[in-house]
Short mmCIF file of all heavy atoms in Angstrom, two decimals:
data_model
loop_
_atom_site.label_atom_id
_atom_site.label_comp_id
_atom_site.label_asym_id
_atom_site.label_seq_id
_atom_site.Cartn_x
_atom_site.Cartn_y
_atom_site.Cartn_z
N VAL A 28 -19.27 1.44 -16.91
CA VAL A 28 -18.86 0.05 -16.72
C VAL A 28 -18.44 -0.10 -15.26
O VAL A 28 -17.62 0.68 -14.76
CB VAL A 28 -17.68 -0.34 -17.64
CG1 VAL A 28 -17.20 -1.75 -17.31
CG2 VAL A 28 -18.10 -0.25 -19.09
N THR A 29 -19.01 -1.05 -14.56
CA THR A 29 -18.62 -1.36 -13.19
C THR A 29 -17.79 -2.63 -13.19
O THR A 29 -18.23 -3.66 -13.71
CB THR A 29 -19.85 -1.53 -12.29
OG1 THR A 29 -20.59 -0.31 -12.26
CG2 THR A 29 -19.44 -1.90 -10.87
N VAL A 30 -16.61 -2.54 -12.61
CA VAL A 30 -15.72 -3.71 -12.55
C VAL A 30 -15.72 -4.23 -11.13
O VAL A 30 -15.47 -3.48 -10.18
CB VAL A 30 -14.28 -3.33 -12.98
CG1 VAL A 30 -13.38 -4.54 -12.97
CG2 VAL A 30 -14.30 -2.69 -14.36
N LYS A 31 -16.00 -5.53 -10.98
CA LYS A 31 -16.07 -6.15 -9.66
C LYS A 31 -15.22 -7.40 -9.59
O LYS A 31 -14.90 -8.00 -10.61
CB LYS A 31 -17.52 -6.53 -9.31
CG LYS A 31 -18.49 -5.38 -9.17
CD LYS A 31 -19.85 -5.89 -8.73
CE LYS A 31 -20.82 -4.76 -8.51
NZ LYS A 31 -22.14 -5.27 -8.03
N LYS A 32 -14.85 -7.76 -8.38
CA LYS A 32 -14.30 -9.08 -8.11
C LYS A 32 -15.15 -9.66 -7.01
O LYS A 32 -15.12 -9.17 -5.87
CB LYS A 32 -12.84 -9.03 -7.69
CG LYS A 32 -12.23 -10.42 -7.49
CD LYS A 32 -10.76 -10.31 -7.16
CE LYS A 32 -10.16 -11.70 -6.90
NZ LYS A 32 -10.03 -12.48 -8.12
N GLY A 33 -15.95 -10.66 -7.35
CA GLY A 33 -16.95 -11.14 -6.40
C GLY A 33 -17.95 -10.02 -6.15
O GLY A 33 -18.46 -9.40 -7.07
N SER A 34 -18.17 -9.72 -4.87
CA SER A 34 -19.12 -8.66 -4.52
C SER A 34 -18.44 -7.31 -4.33
O SER A 34 -19.10 -6.31 -4.07
CB SER A 34 -19.85 -9.05 -3.23
OG SER A 34 -18.91 -9.19 -2.16
N VAL A 35 -17.12 -7.27 -4.49
CA VAL A 35 -16.38 -6.04 -4.23
C VAL A 35 -16.24 -5.22 -5.51
O VAL A 35 -15.74 -5.71 -6.52
CB VAL A 35 -14.98 -6.35 -3.67
CG1 VAL A 35 -14.19 -5.07 -3.44
CG2 VAL A 35 -15.09 -7.13 -2.37
N THR A 36 -16.69 -3.97 -5.47
CA THR A 36 -16.54 -3.07 -6.61
C THR A 36 -15.14 -2.50 -6.64
O THR A 36 -14.67 -1.92 -5.66
CB THR A 36 -17.57 -1.93 -6.54
OG1 THR A 36 -18.88 -2.48 -6.63
CG2 THR A 36 -17.37 -0.94 -7.68
N LEU A 37 -14.47 -2.66 -7.79
CA LEU A 37 -13.13 -2.13 -7.94
C LEU A 37 -13.15 -0.72 -8.51
O LEU A 37 -12.43 0.16 -8.07
CB LEU A 37 -12.32 -3.03 -8.87
CG LEU A 37 -12.18 -4.49 -8.45
CD1 LEU A 37 -11.35 -5.25 -9.47
CD2 LEU A 37 -11.55 -4.59 -7.09
N THR A 38 -13.96 -0.52 -9.53
CA THR A 38 -14.04 0.81 -10.12
C THR A 38 -15.34 0.97 -10.89
O THR A 38 -15.88 0.00 -11.43
CB THR A 38 -12.84 1.07 -11.07
OG1 THR A 38 -12.86 2.43 -11.49
CG2 THR A 38 -12.88 0.17 -12.28
N ASP A 39 -15.87 2.18 -10.88
CA ASP A 39 -16.99 2.57 -11.74
C ASP A 39 -16.43 3.53 -12.77
O ASP A 39 -15.97 4.63 -12.43
CB ASP A 39 -18.09 3.25 -10.92
CG ASP A 39 -18.81 2.27 -10.01
OD1 ASP A 39 -19.28 1.24 -10.50
OD2 ASP A 39 -18.87 2.55 -8.80
N TYR A 40 -16.45 3.12 -14.03
CA TYR A 40 -15.85 3.92 -15.09
C TYR A 40 -16.93 4.46 -16.00
O TYR A 40 -17.83 3.73 -16.42
CB TYR A 40 -14.86 3.08 -15.90
CG TYR A 40 -14.14 3.86 -16.97
CD1 TYR A 40 -12.98 4.57 -16.66
CD2 TYR A 40 -14.62 3.93 -18.27
CE1 TYR A 40 -12.32 5.31 -17.62
CE2 TYR A 40 -13.97 4.67 -19.24
CZ TYR A 40 -12.82 5.36 -18.91
OH TYR A 40 -12.17 6.10 -19.86
N THR A 41 -16.86 5.75 -16.29
CA THR A 41 -17.80 6.40 -17.20
C THR A 41 -17.05 6.90 -18.43
O THR A 41 -16.05 7.63 -18.29
CB THR A 41 -18.51 7.58 -16.52
OG1 THR A 41 -19.21 7.11 -15.37
CG2 THR A 41 -19.49 8.24 -17.48
N PHE A 42 -17.50 6.49 -19.61
CA PHE A 42 -16.88 6.94 -20.85
C PHE A 42 -17.19 8.42 -21.06
O PHE A 42 -18.35 8.83 -21.02
CB PHE A 42 -17.37 6.11 -22.03
CG PHE A 42 -16.84 4.70 -22.02
CD1 PHE A 42 -17.57 3.67 -21.48
CD2 PHE A 42 -15.58 4.41 -22.55
CE1 PHE A 42 -17.09 2.37 -21.46
CE2 PHE A 42 -15.08 3.12 -22.53
CZ PHE A 42 -15.83 2.10 -21.99
N LYS A 43 -16.14 9.20 -21.30
CA LYS A 43 -16.29 10.65 -21.45
C LYS A 43 -16.60 11.06 -22.88
O LYS A 43 -16.89 12.22 -23.15
CB LYS A 43 -15.03 11.36 -20.95
CG LYS A 43 -14.80 11.15 -19.47
CD LYS A 43 -13.54 11.87 -19.00
CE LYS A 43 -13.33 11.64 -17.51
NZ LYS A 43 -12.10 12.32 -17.02
N GLN A 44 -16.50 10.11 -23.79
CA GLN A 44 -16.87 10.36 -25.18
C GLN A 44 -17.21 9.03 -25.83
O GLN A 44 -16.97 7.97 -25.25
CB GLN A 44 -15.71 11.02 -25.93
CG GLN A 44 -14.43 10.19 -25.96
CD GLN A 44 -13.28 10.95 -26.58
OE1 GLN A 44 -13.14 12.15 -26.38
NE2 GLN A 44 -12.45 10.25 -27.33
N ASP A 45 -17.81 9.10 -27.01
CA ASP A 45 -18.12 7.86 -27.72
C ASP A 45 -16.82 7.10 -28.01
O ASP A 45 -15.79 7.70 -28.34
CB ASP A 45 -18.83 8.17 -29.04
CG ASP A 45 -20.20 8.78 -28.83
OD1 ASP A 45 -20.66 8.82 -27.67
OD2 ASP A 45 -20.82 9.20 -29.83
N THR A 46 -16.88 5.78 -27.86
CA THR A 46 -15.69 4.98 -28.17
C THR A 46 -15.64 4.69 -29.67
O THR A 46 -16.64 4.81 -30.38
CB THR A 46 -15.70 3.65 -27.41
OG1 THR A 46 -16.81 2.86 -27.87
CG2 THR A 46 -15.83 3.88 -25.91
N GLU A 47 -14.46 4.30 -30.11
CA GLU A 47 -14.26 4.00 -31.53
C GLU A 47 -14.38 2.51 -31.77
O GLU A 47 -14.05 1.69 -30.91
CB GLU A 47 -12.87 4.48 -31.96
CG GLU A 47 -12.66 5.98 -31.81
CD GLU A 47 -11.25 6.39 -32.19
OE1 GLU A 47 -10.53 5.55 -32.76
OE2 GLU A 47 -10.88 7.54 -31.91
N ALA A 48 -14.87 2.16 -32.95
CA ALA A 48 -14.98 0.75 -33.31
C ALA A 48 -13.59 0.13 -33.43
O ALA A 48 -12.61 0.81 -33.78
CB ALA A 48 -15.74 0.60 -34.62
N ASN A 49 -13.52 -1.16 -33.13
CA ASN A 49 -12.27 -1.93 -33.28
C ASN A 49 -11.12 -1.38 -32.44
O ASN A 49 -9.95 -1.45 -32.82
CB ASN A 49 -11.85 -2.00 -34.75
CG ASN A 49 -12.93 -2.61 -35.63
OD1 ASN A 49 -13.52 -3.62 -35.27
ND2 ASN A 49 -13.21 -1.96 -36.75
N THR A 50 -11.47 -0.79 -31.29
CA THR A 50 -10.45 -0.24 -30.39
C THR A 50 -10.63 -0.84 -29.00
O THR A 50 -11.76 -0.94 -28.51
CB THR A 50 -10.56 1.30 -30.30
OG1 THR A 50 -10.40 1.84 -31.62
CG2 THR A 50 -9.51 1.88 -29.38
N SER A 51 -9.51 -1.24 -28.38
CA SER A 51 -9.56 -1.81 -27.04
C SER A 51 -9.28 -0.72 -26.01
O SER A 51 -8.48 0.18 -26.24
CB SER A 51 -8.52 -2.93 -26.89
OG SER A 51 -8.82 -3.99 -27.76
N TYR A 52 -9.93 -0.81 -24.86
CA TYR A 52 -9.75 0.14 -23.77
C TYR A 52 -9.38 -0.62 -22.51
O TYR A 52 -10.02 -1.61 -22.16
CB TYR A 52 -11.03 0.95 -23.54
CG TYR A 52 -11.38 1.82 -24.73
CD1 TYR A 52 -12.11 1.30 -25.80
CD2 TYR A 52 -10.97 3.14 -24.79
CE1 TYR A 52 -12.41 2.08 -26.90
CE2 TYR A 52 -11.26 3.93 -25.89
CZ TYR A 52 -11.99 3.39 -26.95
OH TYR A 52 -12.29 4.17 -28.04
N ALA A 53 -8.33 -0.16 -21.82
CA ALA A 53 -7.88 -0.81 -20.59
C ALA A 53 -8.32 0.02 -19.39
O ALA A 53 -8.08 1.23 -19.34
CB ALA A 53 -6.37 -0.96 -20.59
N LEU A 54 -8.99 -0.62 -18.44
CA LEU A 54 -9.43 0.05 -17.22
C LEU A 54 -8.59 -0.48 -16.06
O LEU A 54 -8.56 -1.68 -15.81
CB LEU A 54 -10.91 -0.23 -16.95
CG LEU A 54 -11.88 0.02 -18.11
CD1 LEU A 54 -13.30 -0.25 -17.65
CD2 LEU A 54 -11.74 1.44 -18.62
N ASP A 55 -7.89 0.40 -15.36
CA ASP A 55 -7.10 -0.02 -14.20
C ASP A 55 -8.06 -0.28 -13.05
O ASP A 55 -8.66 0.64 -12.50
CB ASP A 55 -6.10 1.07 -13.82
CG ASP A 55 -5.14 0.63 -12.73
OD1 ASP A 55 -5.39 -0.43 -12.11
OD2 ASP A 55 -4.14 1.31 -12.49
N ALA A 56 -8.20 -1.54 -12.69
CA ALA A 56 -9.18 -1.91 -11.67
C ALA A 56 -8.54 -2.30 -10.35
O ALA A 56 -9.16 -2.93 -9.51
CB ALA A 56 -10.06 -3.06 -12.19
N ARG A 57 -7.27 -1.93 -10.15
CA ARG A 57 -6.67 -2.16 -8.84
C ARG A 57 -7.35 -1.26 -7.81
O ARG A 57 -7.71 -0.11 -8.11
CB ARG A 57 -5.17 -1.87 -8.88
CG ARG A 57 -4.37 -2.82 -9.74
CD ARG A 57 -2.91 -2.41 -9.83
NE ARG A 57 -2.75 -1.10 -10.44
CZ ARG A 57 -1.59 -0.49 -10.59
NH1 ARG A 57 -0.48 -1.06 -10.15
NH2 ARG A 57 -1.52 0.69 -11.17
N PRO A 58 -7.56 -1.74 -6.59
CA PRO A 58 -8.20 -0.90 -5.57
C PRO A 58 -7.40 0.37 -5.30
O PRO A 58 -6.18 0.31 -5.09
CB PRO A 58 -8.21 -1.80 -4.33
CG PRO A 58 -8.14 -3.19 -4.86
CD PRO A 58 -7.31 -3.11 -6.09
N VAL A 59 -8.06 1.50 -5.35
CA VAL A 59 -7.45 2.78 -5.05
C VAL A 59 -8.21 3.41 -3.88
O VAL A 59 -9.43 3.56 -3.93
CB VAL A 59 -7.47 3.73 -6.27
CG1 VAL A 59 -6.88 5.08 -5.90
CG2 VAL A 59 -6.71 3.11 -7.43
N ILE A 60 -7.47 3.78 -2.84
CA ILE A 60 -8.07 4.38 -1.65
C ILE A 60 -7.60 5.83 -1.55
O ILE A 60 -6.41 6.11 -1.66
CB ILE A 60 -7.65 3.62 -0.38
CG1 ILE A 60 -8.26 2.21 -0.40
CG2 ILE A 60 -8.08 4.35 0.88
CD1 ILE A 60 -7.78 1.33 0.73
N ASP A 61 -8.53 6.73 -1.34
CA ASP A 61 -8.20 8.14 -1.11
C ASP A 61 -7.77 8.27 0.35
O ASP A 61 -8.60 8.22 1.26
CB ASP A 61 -9.42 9.01 -1.39
CG ASP A 61 -9.18 10.47 -1.06
OD1 ASP A 61 -8.02 10.85 -0.76
OD2 ASP A 61 -10.16 11.24 -1.08
N GLY A 62 -6.47 8.43 0.56
CA GLY A 62 -5.96 8.52 1.91
C GLY A 62 -6.44 9.74 2.68
O GLY A 62 -6.36 9.79 3.91
N THR A 63 -6.97 10.73 1.96
CA THR A 63 -7.48 11.95 2.61
C THR A 63 -8.95 11.81 3.01
O THR A 63 -9.50 12.73 3.62
CB THR A 63 -7.32 13.17 1.71
OG1 THR A 63 -8.26 13.08 0.63
CG2 THR A 63 -5.91 13.26 1.14
#
Side-chain angles (χ1 to χ4, degrees):
V28 174
T29 298
V30 182
K31 295 184 177 182
K32 183 176 178 72
S34 61
V35 178
T36 297
L37 302 180
T38 188
D39 290 306
Y40 183 86
T41 301
F42 289 95
K43 296 180 180 179
Q44 60 186 37
D45 294 352
T46 65
E47 299 177 11
N49 303 315
T50 301
S51 296
Y52 295 85
L54 309 182
D55 187 348
R57 293 176 298 177
V59 178
I60 293 173
D61 175 9
T63 71

